[in-house]
């Protein structure tokens, strides 16, 4: 049994093999995804919306993420497990170090932080302290009130240039993975080509190094709404295991996401 790690994911990018990722929040689904060979499992602060029924992710705490990380780790034996750092758990470097340590001790192999330039010193400090970091650019749900809602980012030239520069700066600071959310497909393609690390897209078109979906969206059972960039695989297959298999197959064959799930 071979476990996935930052090296195996980097090799997949270099071999032009698409990386498949899903969120999970408990041992049972983590085990199912693991058995189907999902390479990356994220304990997302999306749990605020899909588990708690909130309108955004802002109510999620480090304690929440740590609990669900322990549950996921119990079920995932091969997948690379990433835990979200929730809202205001990394306002400064020392807070980030403390809260990241909690999530790593809970079973995460990497933590994910939302933001660009303001995070560079924090990212470098985490990496220096042996905490692997995943960046997150584009639509950053923790900034929903600043952004004025869940909106596509990077459509204007100045926004696109900023995202490119921030992606490169984050890579230089030490991130080993990047999530791009809700950006135009052409911009996501450019960033994926410029970075040497894997780029995982969600609402970022088909040209990133991999794809991630919230599991409830993939199964069509989200409490609030179905995002444009998602697809209800349960409706198409009729079973949970079949849904996961179909999602993996379509990501690997680059038939998902299609134009209807992407932004110009």
């Amino acid at each position: 049994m071979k476990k996935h790690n930052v090296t195996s994911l980097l090799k997949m990018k270099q071999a032009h093999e698409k990386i498949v990722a899903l969120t999970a929040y408990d041992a049972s689904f983590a085990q199912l995804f693991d058995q189907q060979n999902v390479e990356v499992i994220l304990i997302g602060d999306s749990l605020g919306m899909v588990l708690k029924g909130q309108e955004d992710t802002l109510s999620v705490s480090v304690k929440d993420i740590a609990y669900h990380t322990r549950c996921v780790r119990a079920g995932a034996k091969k997948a690379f497990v990433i835990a979200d750092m929730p809202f205001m758990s990394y306002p400064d470097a020392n807070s980030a170090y403390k809260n990241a340590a909690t999530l790593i001790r809970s079973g995460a192999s990497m933590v994910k932080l939302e933001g660009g330039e303001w995070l560079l010193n924090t990212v470098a400090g985490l990496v220096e302290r042996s905490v692997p970091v995943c960046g997150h650019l584009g639509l950053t749900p923790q900034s929903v009130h600043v952004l004025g809602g869940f909106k596509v980012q990077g459509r204007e030239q100045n926004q696109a240039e900023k995202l490119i520069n921030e992606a490169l700066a984050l890579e230089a600071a030490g991130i080993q993975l990047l999530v791009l959310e809700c950006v135009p497909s052409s911009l996501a393609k450019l960033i994926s080509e410029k970075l040497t690390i894997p780029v995982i897209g969600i609402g970022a078109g088909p040209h990133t190094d991999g794809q991630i979906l919230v599991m409830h969206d993939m199964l069509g059972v989200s409490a609030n709404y179905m995002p444009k960039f998602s697809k209800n695989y349960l409706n198409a297959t009729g079973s949970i295991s079949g849904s996961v298999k179909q999602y993996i197959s379509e990501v690997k064959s680059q038939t998902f996401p299609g134009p209807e799930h992407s932004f110009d």
Side-chain angles (χ1 to χ4, degrees), residues 22 59 103 105 107-108 118 128 139 142 171 185:
L22 280 168
S59 67
L103 298 183
R105 291 185 183 118
W118 71 276
E128 286 174 351
L139 170 57
Q142 292 173 19
E171 181 178 50
S185 298

Side-chain angles (χ1 to χ4, degrees), residues 20-26 30 33 38-47 50 65 68-69 72-73 76 79-85 103 108-114 134-136 141 177 179 181 200 202 211-216:
V20 179
L22 280 168
T23 66
Y25 314 93
D26 63 37
F33 298 163
V38 171
E39 285 98 13
V40 175
I41 295 177
L42 170 69
I43 300 91
D45 59 5
S46 50
L47 69 87
V50 297
I65 297 289
H68 289 280
T69 298
V72 167
R73 175 51 75 189
F80 189 65
V81 175
I82 305 173
D84 262 346
M85 295 275 283
L103 298 183
S109 297
M110 176 178 273
V111 297
K112 180 168 74 65
L113 288 72
E114 297 181 9
C134 175
H136 186 151
L177 205 66
V179 170
E181 181 169 356
I200 309 298
I202 178 166
Q211 300 292 329
I212 185 167
L213 286 178
V214 173
M215 57 165 280
H216 293 71

Side-chain angles (χ1 to χ4, degrees), residues 28 47 54 69 73 116 129-130 170 180 217 226 237 248:
S28 297
L47 69 87
Q54 303 297 309
T69 298
R73 175 51 75 189
R129 289 159 178 78
S130 302
L170 284 168
L180 277 181
D217 293 344
M226 177 67 71
T237 65
I248 293 171

